[in-house]
Every structure is written in C-alpha cells, then in structure tokens.
Amino acid sequence: MNSSPPIVNNQNAGATQYVAGSGNSASVTSPTFSPLYQQIKALITQSLQSGEWKPGELIPSENELATRFKVSQGTVRKAIDELSAENLVVRRQGKGTFVATHHEARSQFRFLRLLPDEGVPHYPENRIIEVKRLRAPADVARLLDIKSGDSVVFLRRVQAFSGVPTILDELWLPGVIFKGLTAERLNEYKGPMYGLFETEFGTHMIRASEQIRAVCAEPLAAQLLNVSVGTPLLNVERVSFTYGDKPVELRRGLYLTSAHHYQNELS
Amino acid sequence: MNSSPPIVNNQNAGATQYVAGSGNSASVTSPTFSPLYQQIKALITQSLQSGEWKPGELIPSENELATRFKVSQGTVRKAIDELSAENLVVRRQGKGTFVATHHEARSQFRFLRLLPDEGVPHYPENRIIEVKRLRAPADVARLLDIKSGDSVVFLRRVQAFSGVPTILDELWLPGVIFKGLTAERLNEYKGPMYGLFETEFGTHMIRASEQIRAVCAEPLAAQLLNVSVGTPLLNVERVSFTYGDKPVELRRGLYLTSAHHYQNELS
DNA sequence: AAGTGGTCTAGACCACTAT
DNA sequence: TAGTGGTCTAGACCACTTT
C-alpha cells in the first residue's frame, strides 16, 4: 500500500494541488503526467487485481472513493465510466457498482460467439474428454508467457447443442494457477467454464484475442464431432487475459458450422 | 427543420425549463422522456444523416452546438462522446470535431479483419471480375430491406496480397443508390471500396454484422483463388449499415486462410 | 428517509492548433 | 492571441433501491 505513486493533479480549477496516497506531499515532480481520472482508474484496477473487491461484490460508492482518493466525485465517475465500458465493473442504479462476474445471464455469450442459424441461442452441454498435466511445449509457453517445460494443465472437451456435438475445445492452462482442476469438477459444473475458473481458482478473464481459420477435420476431430474426415471446420485459437493483461488460457476450438455460425459485429 | 420534436429537459439544476426547436414552447407532454444528451445526440446524428456536414468536414464547435440547442457545453460534450465512441465523428484537440471518413489510414483495417500470420499488415490489391445489374432474389432483398425484384448491382472481385489471390468477394448493392457503378471506376480506385462508396455515392458505412462459417472451395472459387476444389475457406457473410441502421451492402467473402487469419478481439 | 448512480449546469484551467 | 477539445470541480436535481 505504501508503494503506490502519489496522485498528481496536473490541471485543476485553480484550487488546491491534490496529492494523495500515503501521507505523501510536496515536491511533486509529476512522474506520470496522466489525467487524474486515469490515475484513479489505475488505482481501482489495482484493487480489483489484488482481490480487495471480488467478482460479484459491491465496491465503495463514488462518494466514498472520491473521499478516499481526495478528488471530486465527477472524477471518480469518469474513471468508473471507463471500467464499466471495459466490462470490469457493472453499475446498478440505486444499488451501487459491482465487480463484474461470469456468473450472470448477460455474460453467457460474451466469450461464446457461436450461434444457431435458426432458433433461440442456448448454452451447450459439456462433455470432458480428458484432463492431464504436462510440460509446456515452446509455442504454448510463449503464448502463456511462461517458461518452456513449465507445468500446464491440458484439457479436451466436446460441447453439444441439443445433443449434437458441435465444438471440440483443447485448452492449455498454467499449472501454477489451476492446481486442483479435475474432470469431475468440470463435469459437475454447468455453464461457462470461466465461471468455475473465477470461483474455484480466483482467475477472472477480462478479455481475449482470437485468430480464426478454416481447416479440414482430422481423424480425431471427425470422430468426436461425428463428421467425416475432411469436413470444413472453423479453427478458433484464443488467448485469454486476466487483470494486468496477463495471459492465463490458451484455447483451440474447432467449430462445426453446418447449423451454427460465428457472429461478429464490426463497429 | 420544423418537424423536429422539442428538446425537453426532464431534469435539471432547478433552473429554467429548457425547450428548444422551432419556436416551440409550453404544454410539454414529454413525449420522448430521454436524457437531454441523448436528444442532442439524435439531433447531431440527423445532421450527419442529412448531409449537413459531410465525411471529413468540421462540425460546429461544442460551444456553438450548445448555443444552438440551448443546453450547456457539457451536455453537448457527452453527446459527442458517444458519437465518437461509435466512430461517427473524430475529435482532434485544438482543431475541432470532424465527421468520420473512410479516407484515413486508421480506418483501413476497421472492416478488413484478415491479417497475415507473419509480417506487417498491408492493404491488398483489387481485381474486379465482373459488375452487372440484376433483379434482387428474395433472400438478398430481405437482407437489404428492399423489395424482391428491385434492381441491385452485383459485383465480384478478387483481392490479393503481394500477388497471391486470397479473398473472393461477391457484393449486392441497392441499384437505386449505386447507379453509375462500373468496373472501370472500381479498378481505378485504390484502397477500401467504402472510400469510393462514400465519395462517389454519398453512402457512408458505419457498422456491419458478420456471420462466419467454414466451407469447401467450389469450382469457381477454387479457380479464382488458385486452389484445389475442396480447400477449406472462411465464408464471411456481411450486412453493412449506413446512418439510421439502413442496410446498404450485402457481401459474401471467401477467405483463403493458409497464410492469413481473421483477427477478433473479445472484450 | 437515506443512499446510490444518472443527468445537467456553470465556471475554471490546461493542452494543442492556428493565425 | 484566440479558438478548440480535454480535464476538473462544485453543486443541484432526478430515478431507483433499500431501510
């Protein structure tokens, strides 16, 4: 708590020079030189990252934070505006601001973009094929920002819509974080895996980057998805990040797109 | 200009009741009941849609708009904040706010998500295969929100990276809007087609919705992309919209993803 | 009634761009 | 020097939720 840099207001309404933090004061060399609300945003993000407020919990009110950081309520508001736009927190009028969680209906499809060509979207059933621990190959290690040979959890599963196998996922997870992950716990769990990751392993995914290609089904995929070898599949490679842009999941999904499609909005 | 609804402030700092528009006044039944800044945003959007300010042009300053609409500068600011977030306008400190245009380096890849697996992204070369006018089939008409049998321009082209054919596009455009579109004008033009659409046909695309699938190359596609029949391709179906969420382009793209990938950020 | 986020105003200063 | 957008403050009222 003592290592945080001072809050520096580089530009205000001719009033006091705002300096906060740990009794810090004077001789401000303005090391950051970023807008106040960005500094506040960074401080709030730190609290989210450190687990001071956990997913689903209420964070202090705008007025409380304004008092704590010694800035106006409007400045805190602008900071939270951005955090809200980035889906890190959720505002509820009259109630307060809450840390975003994957245990909500509204977030079910945020990381699952495969929708039925016709009919109402619904979440698929999971079937875990295998879970094992192994040493990270070089390419996996690089993407997860760990050392080659470090322990990783490898996981393979099939997702089905109304009994029709449609998605084959292969995941690589840092072994350090996902210690006790077993097929049993995964099979018991309903809904997005990110909910379980959040609750059981304290790892909240905040964003992901995907690379999409078209490929032909190889024997294993063909068998698990119940299609012929050579059937065209969508190959979706994803790296997911938690707070601080730290990569914590590498995923390769093969999507059968004969009755579903990957939906994307360009805006 | 006389048909615009009055601006109604449903909540302000105990001061005057703000009503603007065309000399309108009194007996306000509050038909809209939306925040002031949303009403201002709608008015600005109307001006964009009507062509009062064209792409690339400077719009009036926040203070001018505040005076015109009889609201505070902060309210105009919040309206423009959202328009800026939606890429309808671009702010430049010290200069002003400009109508967004497709003639900018920063917007080159906004609607082209296919990136090379290795190396620096660069814009592909175009080769127009054919342009013809025909009557809209039922499915095309439905997506373009026109009547079945209405005139549409059909266009087929191949895009290549460093001489390697990679994208086969088929487009359907409303004939009413894209009257004089010819292969010559398209071939002369460098860069994104949306730039030409904007300049030559006064149609600015603001967003698009894509559905992605994996398919096998059929004979025509195989020939034009110089691959074997059956090669897996990314099938990207896009509907593009201009102001007022009006659909004005239907596009089917076939992407060869052996050296490129479709990049998508989930946030 | 009290507390929360949501909206609106007014006024100040800063950073950047043009003249 | 003047004008633009960018930041910050202070204070008011509204809409919603809980006590």
Side-chain angles (χ1 to χ4, degrees), chain A residues 191-261:
Chain A
M193 241 187 319
Y194 289 174
L196 183 141
F197 288 176
E198 175 186 305
T199 307
E200 304 275 329
F201 302 96
T203 298
H204 180 86
M205 309 292 185
I206 56 175
R207 70 173 192 89
S209 182
E210 294 192 334
Q211 299 193 348
I212 306 174
R213 293 178 184 80
V215 300
C216 283
E218 295 183 8
L220 175 61
Q223 181 210 318
L224 289 170
L225 292 176
N226 198 26
V227 296
S228 322
V229 171
T231 300
L233 300 175
L234 221 54
N235 180 91
V236 181
E237 287 174 20
R238 174 195 294 182
V239 182
S240 298
F241 301 84
T242 187
Y243 300 108
D245 262 346
K246 189 186 168 196
V248 283
E249 180 204 51
L250 176 59
R251 181 187 295 211
R252 182 197 189 212
L254 291 171
Y255 298 175
L256 178 60
T257 55
S258 47
H260 295 76
H261 61 270

Side-chain angles (χ1 to χ4, degrees), chain A:
Chain A
M1 286 305 229
N2 259 326
S3 60
S4 51
I7 302 176
V8 180
N9 185 352
N10 323 107
Q11 105 191 296
N12 69 5
T16 19
Q17 178 70 274
Y18 292 93
V19 178
S22 349
N24 213 322
S25 75
S27 178
V28 173
T29 44
S30 186
T32 50
F33 199 70
S34 73
L36 247 189
Y37 75 89
Q38 288 287 3
Q39 300 178 45
I40 302 303
K41 182 185 169 187
L43 290 173
I44 297 175
T45 303
Q46 278 175 28
S47 291
L48 291 171
Q49 184 168 359
S50 73
E52 180 178 343
W53 315 307
K54 302 206 184 312
E57 285 182 8
L58 180 68
I59 75 171
S61 75
E62 295 178 353
N63 277 317
E64 271 182 70
L65 291 171
T67 305
R68 177 194 300 192
F69 297 132
K70 296 200 174 65
V71 299
S72 78
Q73 182 254 13
T75 299
V76 172
R77 169 153 266 274
K78 185 148 188 186
I80 295 182
D81 274 347
E82 293 202 352
L83 293 172
S84 174
E86 293 168 16
N87 294 306
L88 293 189
V89 298
V90 175
R91 291 184 140 124
R92 286 184 206 148
Q93 194 179 44
K95 301 180 83 170
T97 301
F98 298 79
V99 182
T101 171
H102 289 285
H103 299 278
E104 289 173 25
R106 59 168 281 291
S107 69
Q108 301 292 290
F109 288 91
R110 205 175 123 212
F111 290 94
L112 176 62
R113 306 291 278 266
L114 200 67
L115 299 180
D117 291 341
E118 292 175 5
V120 184
H122 63 104
Y123 208 82
E125 309 98 44
N126 294 320
R127 190 177 123 236
I128 305 298
I129 306 293
E130 67 170 318
V131 179
K132 63 184 177 189
R133 309 182 69 84
L134 40 82
R135 307 233 159 253
D139 54 344
V140 169
R142 185 176 52 81
L143 290 166
L144 287 178
D145 198 20
I146 58 179
K147 281 199 284 287
S148 190
D150 277 4
S151 164
V152 289
V153 176
F154 172 79
L155 190 165
R156 182 177 281 134
R157 71 156 174 187
V158 171
Q159 290 186 292
F161 292 94
S162 308
V164 182
T166 307
I167 300 175
L168 169 59
D169 274 332
E170 294 175 342
L171 285 79
W172 289 262
L173 303 162
V176 177
I177 301 176
F178 296 88
K179 279 195 206 304
L181 188 62
T182 63
E184 290 74 44
R185 292 170 93 171
L186 284 163
N187 269 322
E188 289 163 11
Y189 198 83
K190 301 297 173 194
M193 241 187 319
Y194 289 174
L196 183 141
F197 288 176
E198 175 186 305
T199 307
E200 304 275 329
F201 302 96
T203 298
H204 180 86
M205 309 292 185
I206 56 175
R207 70 173 192 89
S209 182
E210 294 192 334
Q211 299 193 348
I212 306 174
R213 293 178 184 80
V215 300
C216 283
E218 295 183 8
L220 175 61
Q223 181 210 318
L224 289 170
L225 292 176
N226 198 26
V227 296
S228 322
V229 171
T231 300
L233 300 175
L234 221 54
N235 180 91
V236 181
E237 287 174 20
R238 174 195 294 182
V239 182
S240 298
F241 301 84
T242 187
Y243 300 108
D245 262 346
K246 189 186 168 196
V248 283
E249 180 204 51
L250 176 59
R251 181 187 295 211
R252 182 197 189 212
L254 291 171
Y255 298 175
L256 178 60
T257 55
S258 47
H260 295 76
H261 61 270
Y262 186 104
Q263 180 77 34
N264 199 28
E265 305 299 322
L266 307 186
S267 49

Side-chain angles (χ1 to χ4, degrees), chain B residues 9 11 18 35-37 71-72 75 78 93-95:
Chain B
N9 185 350
Q11 102 189 298
Y18 291 94
L36 248 188
Y37 76 88
V71 298
S72 78
T75 300
K78 184 147 188 185
Q93 194 178 44
K95 302 180 84 170

